[in-house]
Amino acid sequence: KFRAIVFMKLLMVSSEAFPFSKTGGLGDIAGSLPIAFDSIKINSSLAIPLYKENYKFVNKKNLFAKFKIKHNKDDIEVEIIKIKHPENSNITVYFVKQDNFFKRNGLYSENGKDYKDNASRFILFSKAIVQLLIHLYKKEKFKFDIIHLNDWQTALISLYVKEVYNNEEALKNLKVVFTIHNLAYQGNFSVDIYNLLNISWKFFVYNRLEFYGDVSFIKAGIILSDIITTVSPSYSKEIQSEGYGFRLNNLLSEKSEKLFGILNGVNDKSWNPKTDKYIKYHYEINSNIKSVEECIKKKKLIRNSLYREFNLKNNSFPLITMISRFDPQKGLDLIYSSFFELSTYDGNFIFLFSKDNYFKTFEEDFIKRANRTKNIKVVFEFDEALAHRLTAGSDMYLMPSKFEPCGLNQIYSMKYGSLPIVHSVGGLKDTVINYSGNKSANKATGFVFNNYSVKDFVDIMDLAFNLYNNKNIWNKLIYNAMNKDYSLLKTALEYKKLYKRLLK
Ligand code: ADP
C-alpha cells in the first residue's frame, strides 16, 4: 500500500523574525526555524507584523486579504500581505499590515521608551492572525495543523483559538504550541486595556488572564496551549522555581507535563565562519587539530583590523568581546564591578550593546569607566555587521548572564573559535563544557563559573587568561568548540517530534 506523504502544515507566529526584523534571539529562531522545517517535510508559513523596515520586501501586488477588526469600539482595517520567503520559496510569509500600529521607527520602543499602546498593538495582531486562519479556510479550504506561538506578543492567540472562536470550523483541531523565549517578558498590563480584547469578562479570572489584578498575556499561552516549550532543557526546569519563575513558577510546575526544553540551534547560512558575508577572511575547522592554527591566523587578521579601527594597542593581546542587549539580565553588574581588574589584563575588550531604555544613567557610568581605561571600548549600537566581525575576531567571549533562557552568542562564539566565559545557568550551562583542568581538555569548549559573584567572575577570567598562554591546551579547546554540532536541524527535529505527538 502506498500512501502519499502528507506534510504537516505549520504556522509560525512571532512579533519578529530574521531577516525581516530582529531585536534578539527570538528573531533569530522564529526566522530560521521555518527554513529548517522545510528540509524535514514540515510545510511551514510565517506570520509577523509589517514594520516600517519591512516595506522593501513587499509591493501592492502582494495584498492577500483585508479585514475590519473590532477593537474595543473601533473597526480597524487590517491587510494581510502575502509573499514567498526571499530565501526559500516553499515558505509563505504573511505580514499583518496596519500602519498606525506597526509602521514606526522601532518594533516595541523608540528613544528608550516602550510604545504606550503595545498591548493594543499585539492584541490587534493576535486578532488578525485568527481572522487570517478563518479566511484561509473559507476561501481555500486550507487548514493548518499546528500554530506555533512565541512569547507574550502572540500568546493571546491561544485564547482566541481555544475559547473565543472555538466554534469556527477553521480552528477545530488546530493544535497550539507556545514557546517561551524569555519569561521575564510577560505582557502584563493594567486591566484598563481589557475592552481592547473584545472578550467576555469571564476570562478575567486567575486560571485565565488575571494576574495580581493585571491582565497577563503570557498566562493565556501557558494555560491554553497544548504544549509549552522553552529554549533549553535547564531553563525549562529553572522557571519552575521561585528564583527564575518571575511569579509564574507555580503555574509552570503545575503544567510541567506539557512543558519541554528544546535547545536553540544556529542558522548556518548567517552564522558560519566559512561563508560569513560580514567578514573578510574566512576559515573552517576539520578533523585535523592542525586546522586550528589556520583558523587562528585568519582570526588574527580580523582582530588586527578591529584593533586599528578601535585604536587599541598591543596587537599580540587577545581580544575579548561581548554582544548583547544592555540589560541587567546579561550580567552587566559583574562587568561594571570588575572594570578595574579588566583594565589590568593583557587583553583588549570590545563591548557591543544595543540600548535598552531604562538604564540611561547606568549606561553613562559604564561609558565613563570604560573611557578611563586604555583597553576597553564600548559601542552602543545595534550593528549586525560588527557583531559578526567581533565574534570572528575575538579570542574569548563574555556571557556572565544572571539568567539565560538559551543564549545564542555563546554558541556563535564557539562556532567561530572564540572561547566563551559563562555563568552556569540556563542554556549557557547546557551548551558550554567547562575547562576544569587538563584532564577535561579533550571535551572542554569554554569556561563556566558557578556563583553569580564578582569574585567567581574575576577568578575565571584569571584562569582563562593564564590558559591563553598555554597554546597546546588553548588550541584543543578551540578545536572542541568549533567541531561541535550546533545545527538548527537538530532543534527542528526535536520540535517535529513534539508536533507529531500532538497530531497523533
Ligand atoms: P536575547 O534574545 O536575550 O537578546 P540571545 O543571545 O538569545 O539573547 O540573542 C541575541 C541576538 O541578538 C544575537 O543574534 C546577537 O548577535 C544579537 N544582538 C544582541 N545585541 C546586539 C547588538 N548590539 N548588535 C547586533 N546584534 C546584537
Side-chain angles (χ1 to χ4, degrees), residues 269-294:
K269 278 221 179 78
S270 31
W271 290 94
N272 182 349
K274 191 178 153 193
T275 53
D276 191 317
K277 67 175 178 196
Y278 296 111
I279 59 178
K280 226 163 128 191
Y281 305 96
H282 294 105
Y283 53 94
E284 182 183 9
I285 198 82
N286 59 36
S287 56
N288 185 340
I289 180 93
K290 278 253 173 334
S291 59
V292 172
E293 280 161 32
E294 284 306 306

PDB file of all heavy atoms in Angstrom, residues 269-294:
ATOM      1  N   LYS A 269      23.426  29.487   7.623  1.00  0.00           N
ATOM      2  CA  LYS A 269      23.564  30.422   6.492  1.00  0.00           C
ATOM      3  C   LYS A 269      24.063  31.774   6.971  1.00  0.00           C
ATOM      4  O   LYS A 269      24.841  32.425   6.292  1.00  0.00           O
ATOM      5  CB  LYS A 269      22.207  30.607   5.787  1.00  0.00           C
ATOM      6  CG  LYS A 269      21.894  29.507   4.807  1.00  0.00           C
ATOM      7  CD  LYS A 269      21.264  30.090   3.526  1.00  0.00           C
ATOM      8  CE  LYS A 269      20.961  28.985   2.527  1.00  0.00           C
ATOM      9  NZ  LYS A 269      19.717  28.255   2.892  1.00  0.00           N
ATOM     10  N   SER A 270      23.578  32.205   8.140  1.00  0.00           N
ATOM     11  CA  SER A 270      24.024  33.531   8.568  1.00  0.00           C
ATOM     12  C   SER A 270      25.212  33.483   9.534  1.00  0.00           C
ATOM     13  O   SER A 270      25.987  34.426   9.593  1.00  0.00           O
ATOM     14  CB  SER A 270      22.867  34.332   9.169  1.00  0.00           C
ATOM     15  OG  SER A 270      21.933  33.523   9.795  1.00  0.00           O
ATOM     16  N   TRP A 271      25.340  32.382  10.289  1.00  0.00           N
ATOM     17  CA  TRP A 271      26.462  32.327  11.238  1.00  0.00           C
ATOM     18  C   TRP A 271      27.375  31.143  10.932  1.00  0.00           C
ATOM     19  O   TRP A 271      27.187  30.042  11.447  1.00  0.00           O
ATOM     20  CB  TRP A 271      25.934  32.233  12.679  1.00  0.00           C
ATOM     21  CG  TRP A 271      25.290  33.501  13.143  1.00  0.00           C
ATOM     22  CD1 TRP A 271      23.979  33.821  13.097  1.00  0.00           C
ATOM     23  CD2 TRP A 271      25.950  34.640  13.740  1.00  0.00           C
ATOM     24  NE1 TRP A 271      23.760  35.073  13.618  1.00  0.00           N
ATOM     25  CE2 TRP A 271      24.943  35.602  14.020  1.00  0.00           C
ATOM     26  CE3 TRP A 271      27.280  34.950  14.071  1.00  0.00           C
ATOM     27  CZ2 TRP A 271      25.229  36.834  14.610  1.00  0.00           C
ATOM     28  CZ3 TRP A 271      27.542  36.181  14.664  1.00  0.00           C
ATOM     29  CH2 TRP A 271      26.541  37.098  14.920  1.00  0.00           C
ATOM     30  N   ASN A 272      28.347  31.386  10.081  1.00  0.00           N
ATOM     31  CA  ASN A 272      29.273  30.334   9.691  1.00  0.00           C
ATOM     32  C   ASN A 272      30.586  30.984   9.244  1.00  0.00           C
ATOM     33  O   ASN A 272      30.600  31.749   8.281  1.00  0.00           O
ATOM     34  CB  ASN A 272      28.640  29.542   8.527  1.00  0.00           C
ATOM     35  CG  ASN A 272      29.515  28.397   8.082  1.00  0.00           C
ATOM     36  OD1 ASN A 272      30.672  28.299   8.492  1.00  0.00           O
ATOM     37  ND2 ASN A 272      28.969  27.546   7.237  1.00  0.00           N
ATOM     38  N   PRO A 273      31.705  30.699   9.946  1.00  0.00           N
ATOM     39  CA  PRO A 273      32.957  31.396   9.629  1.00  0.00           C
ATOM     40  C   PRO A 273      33.498  31.069   8.225  1.00  0.00           C
ATOM     41  O   PRO A 273      34.366  31.772   7.717  1.00  0.00           O
ATOM     42  CB  PRO A 273      33.927  30.888  10.707  1.00  0.00           C
ATOM     43  CG  PRO A 273      33.347  29.619  11.209  1.00  0.00           C
ATOM     44  CD  PRO A 273      31.854  29.742  11.046  1.00  0.00           C
ATOM     45  N   LYS A 274      32.946  30.062   7.621  1.00  0.00           N
ATOM     46  CA  LYS A 274      33.407  29.675   6.286  1.00  0.00           C
ATOM     47  C   LYS A 274      32.787  30.566   5.201  1.00  0.00           C
ATOM     48  O   LYS A 274      33.380  30.772   4.143  1.00  0.00           O
ATOM     49  CB  LYS A 274      32.991  28.212   6.061  1.00  0.00           C
ATOM     50  CG  LYS A 274      33.597  27.567   4.848  1.00  0.00           C
ATOM     51  CD  LYS A 274      33.141  26.113   4.779  1.00  0.00           C
ATOM     52  CE  LYS A 274      33.138  25.615   3.339  1.00  0.00           C
ATOM     53  NZ  LYS A 274      32.407  24.346   3.239  1.00  0.00           N
ATOM     54  N   THR A 275      31.592  31.080   5.483  1.00  0.00           N
ATOM     55  CA  THR A 275      30.865  31.806   4.437  1.00  0.00           C
ATOM     56  C   THR A 275      30.354  33.173   4.884  1.00  0.00           C
ATOM     57  O   THR A 275      29.747  33.882   4.085  1.00  0.00           O
ATOM     58  CB  THR A 275      29.629  30.992   4.002  1.00  0.00           C
ATOM     59  OG1 THR A 275      28.871  30.670   5.176  1.00  0.00           O
ATOM     60  CG2 THR A 275      30.022  29.705   3.309  1.00  0.00           C
ATOM     61  N   ASP A 276      30.578  33.530   6.115  1.00  0.00           N
ATOM     62  CA  ASP A 276      30.012  34.762   6.699  1.00  0.00           C
ATOM     63  C   ASP A 276      30.242  35.975   5.791  1.00  0.00           C
ATOM     64  O   ASP A 276      31.376  36.326   5.483  1.00  0.00           O
ATOM     65  CB  ASP A 276      30.667  34.998   8.069  1.00  0.00           C
ATOM     66  CG  ASP A 276      29.968  36.073   8.860  1.00  0.00           C
ATOM     67  OD1 ASP A 276      29.621  37.108   8.282  1.00  0.00           O
ATOM     68  OD2 ASP A 276      29.772  35.860  10.076  1.00  0.00           O
ATOM     69  N   LYS A 277      29.141  36.629   5.406  1.00  0.00           N
ATOM     70  CA  LYS A 277      29.283  37.724   4.429  1.00  0.00           C
ATOM     71  C   LYS A 277      29.824  39.007   5.055  1.00  0.00           C
ATOM     72  O   LYS A 277      30.150  39.953   4.355  1.00  0.00           O
ATOM     73  CB  LYS A 277      27.957  37.981   3.721  1.00  0.00           C
ATOM     74  CG  LYS A 277      26.859  38.530   4.601  1.00  0.00           C
ATOM     75  CD  LYS A 277      25.614  38.868   3.778  1.00  0.00           C
ATOM     76  CE  LYS A 277      24.533  39.369   4.717  1.00  0.00           C
ATOM     77  NZ  LYS A 277      23.205  39.392   4.162  1.00  0.00           N
ATOM     78  N   TYR A 278      29.904  39.045   6.365  1.00  0.00           N
ATOM     79  CA  TYR A 278      30.386  40.262   7.011  1.00  0.00           C
ATOM     80  C   TYR A 278      31.883  40.228   7.304  1.00  0.00           C
ATOM     81  O   TYR A 278      32.439  41.206   7.770  1.00  0.00           O
ATOM     82  CB  TYR A 278      29.633  40.507   8.329  1.00  0.00           C
ATOM     83  CG  TYR A 278      28.167  40.766   8.141  1.00  0.00           C
ATOM     84  CD1 TYR A 278      27.220  39.835   8.573  1.00  0.00           C
ATOM     85  CD2 TYR A 278      27.722  41.942   7.536  1.00  0.00           C
ATOM     86  CE1 TYR A 278      25.864  40.078   8.407  1.00  0.00           C
ATOM     87  CE2 TYR A 278      26.373  42.188   7.367  1.00  0.00           C
ATOM     88  CZ  TYR A 278      25.440  41.260   7.808  1.00  0.00           C
ATOM     89  OH  TYR A 278      24.108  41.499   7.650  1.00  0.00           O
ATOM     90  N   ILE A 279      32.531  39.092   7.099  1.00  0.00           N
ATOM     91  CA  ILE A 279      33.966  39.055   7.419  1.00  0.00           C
ATOM     92  C   ILE A 279      34.807  38.881   6.152  1.00  0.00           C
ATOM     93  O   ILE A 279      34.361  38.303   5.165  1.00  0.00           O
ATOM     94  CB  ILE A 279      34.324  37.957   8.468  1.00  0.00           C
ATOM     95  CG1 ILE A 279      33.938  36.550   8.004  1.00  0.00           C
ATOM     96  CG2 ILE A 279      33.677  38.279   9.801  1.00  0.00           C
ATOM     97  CD1 ILE A 279      34.322  35.454   8.980  1.00  0.00           C
ATOM     98  N   LYS A 280      36.037  39.412   6.235  1.00  0.00           N
ATOM     99  CA  LYS A 280      36.886  39.451   5.057  1.00  0.00           C
ATOM    100  C   LYS A 280      37.683  38.166   4.904  1.00  0.00           C
ATOM    101  O   LYS A 280      38.008  37.756   3.800  1.00  0.00           O
ATOM    102  CB  LYS A 280      37.865  40.618   5.220  1.00  0.00           C
ATOM    103  CG  LYS A 280      37.999  41.475   3.967  1.00  0.00           C
ATOM    104  CD  LYS A 280      38.628  42.790   4.294  1.00  0.00           C
ATOM    105  CE  LYS A 280      39.821  43.120   3.416  1.00  0.00           C
ATOM    106  NZ  LYS A 280      40.539  44.286   3.956  1.00  0.00           N
ATOM    107  N   TYR A 281      38.019  37.550   6.016  1.00  0.00           N
ATOM    108  CA  TYR A 281      38.832  36.331   5.974  1.00  0.00           C
ATOM    109  C   TYR A 281      38.008  35.169   6.492  1.00  0.00           C
ATOM    110  O   TYR A 281      37.487  35.228   7.604  1.00  0.00           O
ATOM    111  CB  TYR A 281      40.090  36.516   6.830  1.00  0.00           C
ATOM    112  CG  TYR A 281      40.875  37.726   6.434  1.00  0.00           C
ATOM    113  CD1 TYR A 281      40.701  38.933   7.113  1.00  0.00           C
ATOM    114  CD2 TYR A 281      41.773  37.691   5.364  1.00  0.00           C
ATOM    115  CE1 TYR A 281      41.395  40.077   6.736  1.00  0.00           C
ATOM    116  CE2 TYR A 281      42.474  38.827   4.982  1.00  0.00           C
ATOM    117  CZ  TYR A 281      42.274  40.012   5.670  1.00  0.00           C
ATOM    118  OH  TYR A 281      42.957  41.147   5.294  1.00  0.00           O
ATOM    119  N   HIS A 282      37.868  34.143   5.675  1.00  0.00           N
ATOM    120  CA  HIS A 282      37.045  33.007   6.074  1.00  0.00           C
ATOM    121  C   HIS A 282      37.896  31.842   6.542  1.00  0.00           C
ATOM    122  O   HIS A 282      39.035  31.692   6.124  1.00  0.00           O
ATOM    123  CB  HIS A 282      36.138  32.602   4.913  1.00  0.00           C
ATOM    124  CG  HIS A 282      35.129  33.648   4.595  1.00  0.00           C
ATOM    125  ND1 HIS A 282      35.226  34.468   3.507  1.00  0.00           N
ATOM    126  CD2 HIS A 282      34.014  34.042   5.263  1.00  0.00           C
ATOM    127  CE1 HIS A 282      34.213  35.325   3.496  1.00  0.00           C
ATOM    128  NE2 HIS A 282      33.464  35.093   4.562  1.00  0.00           N
ATOM    129  N   TYR A 283      37.335  31.039   7.417  1.00  0.00           N
ATOM    130  CA  TYR A 283      38.093  29.900   7.925  1.00  0.00           C
ATOM    131  C   TYR A 283      37.162  28.756   8.276  1.00  0.00           C
ATOM    132  O   TYR A 283      35.947  28.934   8.408  1.00  0.00           O
ATOM    133  CB  TYR A 283      38.941  30.306   9.130  1.00  0.00           C
ATOM    134  CG  TYR A 283      38.187  31.007  10.243  1.00  0.00           C
ATOM    135  CD1 TYR A 283      37.680  30.282  11.338  1.00  0.00           C
ATOM    136  CD2 TYR A 283      37.993  32.386  10.229  1.00  0.00           C
ATOM    137  CE1 TYR A 283      37.005  30.929  12.369  1.00  0.00           C
ATOM    138  CE2 TYR A 283      37.319  33.034  11.258  1.00  0.00           C
ATOM    139  CZ  TYR A 283      36.834  32.304  12.325  1.00  0.00           C
ATOM    140  OH  TYR A 283      36.163  32.935  13.343  1.00  0.00           O
ATOM    141  N   GLU A 284      37.775  27.587   8.431  1.00  0.00           N
ATOM    142  CA  GLU A 284      36.970  26.379   8.602  1.00  0.00           C
ATOM    143  C   GLU A 284      37.784  25.357   9.394  1.00  0.00           C
ATOM    144  O   GLU A 284      38.986  25.203   9.169  1.00  0.00           O
ATOM    145  CB  GLU A 284      36.667  25.835   7.206  1.00  0.00           C
ATOM    146  CG  GLU A 284      35.795  24.613   7.195  1.00  0.00           C
ATOM    147  CD  GLU A 284      35.605  24.110   5.762  1.00  0.00           C
ATOM    148  OE1 GLU A 284      36.281  24.599   4.830  1.00  0.00           O
ATOM    149  OE2 GLU A 284      34.786  23.216   5.589  1.00  0.00           O
ATOM    150  N   ILE A 285      37.106  24.673  10.283  1.00  0.00           N
ATOM    151  CA  ILE A 285      37.785  23.632  11.054  1.00  0.00           C
ATOM    152  C   ILE A 285      37.561  22.294  10.374  1.00  0.00           C
ATOM    153  O   ILE A 285      36.572  22.111   9.678  1.00  0.00           O
ATOM    154  CB  ILE A 285      37.229  23.595  12.505  1.00  0.00           C
ATOM    155  CG1 ILE A 285      38.173  22.850  13.458  1.00  0.00           C
ATOM    156  CG2 ILE A 285      35.857  22.939  12.563  1.00  0.00           C
ATOM    157  CD1 ILE A 285      39.295  23.659  13.966  1.00  0.00           C
ATOM    158  N   ASN A 286      38.522  21.359  10.531  1.00  0.00           N
ATOM    159  CA  ASN A 286      38.240  19.978  10.110  1.00  0.00           C
ATOM    160  C   ASN A 286      38.713  19.043  11.209  1.00  0.00           C
ATOM    161  O   ASN A 286      38.999  19.472  12.321  1.00  0.00           O
ATOM    162  CB  ASN A 286      38.867  19.679   8.746  1.00  0.00           C
ATOM    163  CG  ASN A 286      40.373  19.871   8.778  1.00  0.00           C
ATOM    164  OD1 ASN A 286      41.031  19.580   9.771  1.00  0.00           O
ATOM    165  ND2 ASN A 286      40.915  20.378   7.679  1.00  0.00           N
ATOM    166  N   SER A 287      38.806  17.761  10.913  1.00  0.00           N
ATOM    167  CA  SER A 287      39.090  16.821  11.990  1.00  0.00           C
ATOM    168  C   SER A 287      40.572  16.818  12.377  1.00  0.00           C
ATOM    169  O   SER A 287      40.976  16.132  13.309  1.00  0.00           O
ATOM    170  CB  SER A 287      38.650  15.417  11.579  1.00  0.00           C
ATOM    171  OG  SER A 287      39.294  15.087  10.368  1.00  0.00           O
ATOM    172  N   ASN A 288      41.373  17.589  11.662  1.00  0.00           N
ATOM    173  CA  ASN A 288      42.791  17.673  11.983  1.00  0.00           C
ATOM    174  C   ASN A 288      43.042  18.870  12.902  1.00  0.00           C
ATOM    175  O   ASN A 288      42.691  19.998  12.580  1.00  0.00           O
ATOM    176  CB  ASN A 288      43.558  17.834  10.655  1.00  0.00           C
ATOM    177  CG  ASN A 288      45.055  17.796  10.874  1.00  0.00           C
ATOM    178  OD1 ASN A 288      45.546  18.014  11.989  1.00  0.00           O
ATOM    179  ND2 ASN A 288      45.780  17.524   9.803  1.00  0.00           N
ATOM    180  N   ILE A 289      43.675  18.586  14.038  1.00  0.00           N
ATOM    181  CA  ILE A 289      43.912  19.648  15.020  1.00  0.00           C
ATOM    182  C   ILE A 289      44.748  20.788  14.427  1.00  0.00           C
ATOM    183  O   ILE A 289      44.629  21.946  14.828  1.00  0.00           O
ATOM    184  CB  ILE A 289      44.565  19.076  16.315  1.00  0.00           C
ATOM    185  CG1 ILE A 289      44.835  20.153  17.381  1.00  0.00           C
ATOM    186  CG2 ILE A 289      45.855  18.343  16.017  1.00  0.00           C
ATOM    187  CD1 ILE A 289      43.734  20.305  18.379  1.00  0.00           C
ATOM    188  N   LYS A 290      45.552  20.458  13.418  1.00  0.00           N
ATOM    189  CA  LYS A 290      46.361  21.492  12.748  1.00  0.00           C
ATOM    190  C   LYS A 290      45.503  22.605  12.124  1.00  0.00           C
ATOM    191  O   LYS A 290      45.955  23.735  11.947  1.00  0.00           O
ATOM    192  CB  LYS A 290      47.213  20.851  11.627  1.00  0.00           C
ATOM    193  CG  LYS A 290      48.511  20.203  12.077  1.00  0.00           C
ATOM    194  CD  LYS A 290      49.668  21.086  11.640  1.00  0.00           C
ATOM    195  CE  LYS A 290      51.037  20.700  12.136  1.00  0.00           C
ATOM    196  NZ  LYS A 290      51.146  19.965  13.368  1.00  0.00           N
ATOM    197  N   SER A 291      44.288  22.244  11.756  1.00  0.00           N
ATOM    198  CA  SER A 291      43.447  23.252  11.106  1.00  0.00           C
ATOM    199  C   SER A 291      43.108  24.404  12.055  1.00  0.00           C
ATOM    200  O   SER A 291      42.730  25.482  11.604  1.00  0.00           O
ATOM    201  CB  SER A 291      42.169  22.616  10.547  1.00  0.00           C
ATOM    202  OG  SER A 291      41.433  21.989  11.579  1.00  0.00           O
ATOM    203  N   VAL A 292      43.271  24.167  13.362  1.00  0.00           N
ATOM    204  CA  VAL A 292      43.043  25.259  14.320  1.00  0.00           C
ATOM    205  C   VAL A 292      43.988  26.415  14.031  1.00  0.00           C
ATOM    206  O   VAL A 292      43.603  27.583  14.055  1.00  0.00           O
ATOM    207  CB  VAL A 292      43.240  24.764  15.775  1.00  0.00           C
ATOM    208  CG1 VAL A 292      43.199  25.926  16.749  1.00  0.00           C
ATOM    209  CG2 VAL A 292      42.191  23.734  16.127  1.00  0.00           C
ATOM    210  N   GLU A 293      45.237  26.067  13.739  1.00  0.00           N
ATOM    211  CA  GLU A 293      46.223  27.136  13.514  1.00  0.00           C
ATOM    212  C   GLU A 293      45.866  28.006  12.317  1.00  0.00           C
ATOM    213  O   GLU A 293      46.037  29.225  12.343  1.00  0.00           O
ATOM    214  CB  GLU A 293      47.621  26.539  13.347  1.00  0.00           C
ATOM    215  CG  GLU A 293      48.233  26.211  14.699  1.00  0.00           C
ATOM    216  CD  GLU A 293      49.385  25.217  14.624  1.00  0.00           C
ATOM    217  OE1 GLU A 293      50.101  25.233  13.601  1.00  0.00           O
ATOM    218  OE2 GLU A 293      49.529  24.423  15.575  1.00  0.00           O
ATOM    219  N   GLU A 294      45.367  27.360  11.278  1.00  0.00           N
ATOM    220  CA  GLU A 294      44.912  28.125  10.110  1.00  0.00           C
ATOM    221  C   GLU A 294      43.777  29.069  10.494  1.00  0.00           C
ATOM    222  O   GLU A 294      43.736  30.225  10.076  1.00  0.00           O
ATOM    223  CB  GLU A 294      44.435  27.174   8.999  1.00  0.00           C
ATOM    224  CG  GLU A 294      45.559  26.490   8.226  1.00  0.00           C
ATOM    225  CD  GLU A 294      46.561  27.498   7.664  1.00  0.00           C
ATOM    226  OE1 GLU A 294      46.109  28.426   6.966  1.00  0.00           O
ATOM    227  OE2 GLU A 294      47.775  27.361   7.960  1.00  0.00           O
TER     228      GLU A 294
END
